[in-house]
Amino acid sequence: MGIETLVANATEISFAVLFVALFAWVMKKNDERENRYLKRLDDKNKVITEQQQFISDQTKTMSEISETVKETSNNVREITNEIHLIKEQIKK
């Protein structure tokens, strides 16, 4: 009785097997896609972190350059004042 019932319902059984197989295949593909997306996100995060570090380094370098320019400007101003004083003394 069990086998005859299965044979009589072959179309329903084959549909159920097909459904389960398709469901398993879709779940596997979804998992693979999610893993690819996670890998891409990790790669993007690494690039963003590297860019942030680069920008931080460049900002530090620009700050150092700005300080050097300020110091040089002050030195030039002092030298200019000294030259002006020397010229004044020479005129007297």
Side-chain angles (χ1 to χ4, degrees):
M1 177 171 146
I3 295 176
E4 293 172 355
T5 306
L6 291 176
V7 171
N9 295 326
T11 57
E12 292 177 16
I13 293 172
S14 62
F15 179 76
V17 169
L18 178 63
F19 177 79
V20 170
L22 184 59
F23 181 74
W25 179 78
V26 167
M27 293 303 290
K28 179 183 176 201
K29 290 298 179 181
N30 283 342
D31 189 48
E32 290 172 359
R33 184 177 343 130
E34 184 176 352
N35 286 335
R36 284 194 315 267
Y37 287 155
L38 290 174
K39 184 181 180 315
R40 285 182 184 171
L41 284 174
D42 287 343
D43 293 345
K44 299 289 183 191
N45 284 336
K46 286 178 187 176
V47 168
I48 289 171
T49 301
E50 290 172 1
Q51 289 175 345
Q52 286 174 335
Q53 184 61 43
F54 176 78
I55 290 171
S56 175
D57 292 345
Q58 294 302 312
T59 301
K60 182 180 175 188
T61 301
M62 292 302 293
S63 177
E64 291 171 356
I65 289 172
S66 176
E67 282 300 314
T68 302
V69 167
K70 285 178 184 177
E71 290 174 8
T72 303
S73 176
N74 287 337
N75 288 341
V76 167
R77 189 176 300 115
E78 289 175 6
I79 291 172
T80 302
N81 287 338
E82 288 178 11
I83 290 174
H84 182 72
L85 288 175
I86 290 173
K87 283 182 176 180
E88 289 295 319
Q89 288 178 355
I90 291 176
K91 284 183 180 180
K92 289 184 181 181

